[in-house]
Amino acid sequence: MKSSNIGGQAVMEGVMMMNKDRYSVAVRRPDGEIEVKVEQHKPLTKHKGLLKVPILRGVFSFADSMIVGMSSLMYSASFYEDEEEEKKKPATKEEEEQQKAKKEKTDKLMMYGTVTFSVVIAVVLFLMVPELLHKAGAGTTLTAVAEAFVRVALFLGYLAAISRMEDIQRVFMYHGAEHKTIHCYEHGLPLTPENARSFPRLHVRCGTAFLIMVMVIAIFVYTVTPINGLIELWGVPDGAPKLALVILVRILLMPVIAGISYEITVKWAGSNPDNPLVKVVLWPGMQMQYLTTNEPDDGQIECAIAAMQK
């Protein structure tokens, strides 16, 4: 089996597929037809030398994936927002332009709001917990392990909560369709629903596996980095200043953790999916995909194939 290095993401009633600087989004419109949009993505850096540096290339790749993923998700949602608008009373041309401008502004605010909310949650729940444990007398290793358990518990709780929503269940089905289609392509078979259906809905290069690897790598990075010891040497007083500095250092370490995780899950595991050691290392992330993917129907696989073929 060959590794395609093609990445993807499930969106609202559709799938996004990305290959290098080009990506396509296939969405099943309310009328049942599949609409495909193909775009060129402008990466954060065009310096090819930086994209060859291990760990650093993972940071840029992760950031680019977040940008494309958010844009694709908002594009897919627009079809169903438009459907609601069509049910309303027709507006004049001037009103339509005002509504369009207002919608664009709202979409940008939603994007910035989502990113801000994610950062706040990460800081409050993932970065402050270790410091509170440290103050309680826990050692560095115990703190890192406890933090990992907190992250996993929060992640599982979040998945359990949203998986009850009908819309999210369908997104998870499109997620499974994305994986099956990539499997089919990487095995060199014609892209048909029949061929894709025969493959598993799990994939070694899935973002879920990447997130689990981030949690694991964080244990090692935070354990070997004596953050509190260094801060004490700097003479930073206890209280808000010290806590703020601890959080800042941990934020600065996150790109390193993401970069290492990228090298393991995307570069190494993605290029050697049949390696027995890969299967052992990625086993937790693969099992987690049973929560983030569902078996798709043929219509959803057709949508993923439409995205792949463009």
Side-chain angles (χ1 to χ4, degrees):
M1 183 186 73
K2 64 179 180 179
S3 175
S4 64
N5 289 324
I6 293 176
Q9 174 184 313
V11 296
M12 184 178 291
E13 292 300 325
V15 172
M16 180 273 290
M17 294 287 189
M18 183 173 183
N19 187 14
K20 297 181 180 179
D21 298 337
R22 186 170 178 268
Y23 71 96
S24 63
V25 188
V27 179
R28 179 79 68 177
R29 297 187 324 211
D31 62 8
E33 296 296 320
I34 297 176
E35 179 145 337
V36 183
K37 180 184 78 167
V38 180
E39 293 282 349
Q40 290 293 128
H41 171 62
K42 295 181 179 179
L44 292 178
T45 177
K46 294 183 179 180
H47 196 291
K48 294 184 178 180
L50 293 177
L51 298 178
K52 294 180 180 179
V53 179
I55 298 181
L56 188 58
R57 61 189 175 188
V59 176
F60 285 114
S61 177
F62 178 69
D64 284 333
S65 297
M66 289 289 290
I67 294 172
V68 172
M70 182 66 71
S71 175
S72 300
L73 187 60
M74 294 179 68
Y75 170 73
S76 66
S78 68
F79 286 90
Y80 295 87
E81 292 173 358
D82 292 343
E83 182 186 24
E84 292 298 323
E85 290 296 326
E86 289 176 0
K87 295 178 181 179
K88 297 179 181 179
K89 184 178 179 180
T92 64
K93 185 176 181 180
E94 182 179 353
E95 290 174 337
E96 287 178 354
E97 291 178 353
Q98 291 176 348
Q99 290 178 356
K100 184 178 180 181
K102 183 178 179 181
K103 181 180 179 301
E104 291 177 352
K105 184 177 180 180
T106 302
D107 287 345
K108 288 183 179 179
L109 289 175
M110 287 180 62
M111 180 183 292
Y112 295 142
T114 300
V115 172
T116 302
F117 178 76
S118 301
V119 171
V120 170
I121 291 297
V123 170
V124 174
L125 298 180
F126 293 166
L127 301 178
M128 291 183 66
V129 167
E131 176 62 13
L132 296 175
L133 290 171
H134 179 74
K135 285 186 175 181
T140 303
T141 302
L142 179 59
T143 296
V145 173
E147 178 186 4
F149 276 108
V150 169
R151 285 175 174 169
V152 173
L154 289 170
F155 187 46
L156 288 175
Y158 172 73
L159 290 178
I162 67 172
S163 63
R164 297 176 178 274
M165 302 168 61
E166 184 178 349
D167 288 343
I168 298 300
Q169 290 176 359
R170 290 191 61 79
V171 170
F172 287 172
M173 291 173 73
Y174 277 104
H175 192 189
E178 172 219 329
H179 286 179
K180 285 175 176 285
T181 301
I182 292 177
H183 273 303
C184 187
Y185 176 81
E186 291 178 335
H187 281 79
L189 296 180
L191 292 176
T192 65
E194 292 75 19
N195 288 337
R197 196 187 312 119
S198 65
F199 290 98
R201 68 179 198 259
L202 314 183
H203 199 285
V204 294
R205 289 188 288 105
C206 175
T208 305
F210 173 81
L211 289 176
I212 296 300
M213 185 57 62
V214 165
M215 298 178 191
V216 173
I217 297 300
I219 295 178
F220 296 99
V221 172
Y222 291 152
T223 298
V224 301
T225 306
I227 299 175
N228 287 285
L230 290 173
I231 291 176
E232 289 174 3
L233 287 176
W234 294 338
V236 178
D238 290 335
K242 182 178 179 181
L243 179 59
L245 190 54
V246 169
I247 292 174
L248 176 61
V249 174
R250 285 181 170 270
I251 291 174
L252 294 176
L253 285 173
M254 283 306 297
V256 177
I257 295 170
I260 295 174
S261 302
Y262 174 86
E263 295 298 325
I264 295 174
T265 58
V266 178
K267 286 298 184 180
W268 176 59
S271 300
N272 304 278
D274 298 322
N275 187 315
L277 183 57
V278 167
K279 295 180 179 180
V280 172
V281 172
L282 294 188
W283 186 85
M286 296 296 286
Q287 299 307 303
M288 193 69 70
Q289 290 181 51
Y290 282 112
L291 296 177
T292 61
T293 63
N294 289 333
E295 284 294 332
D297 58 34
D298 284 356
Q300 291 164 330
I301 295 177
E302 288 176 355
C303 206
I305 290 174
M308 175 71 80
Q309 289 178 329
K310 294 295 184 178

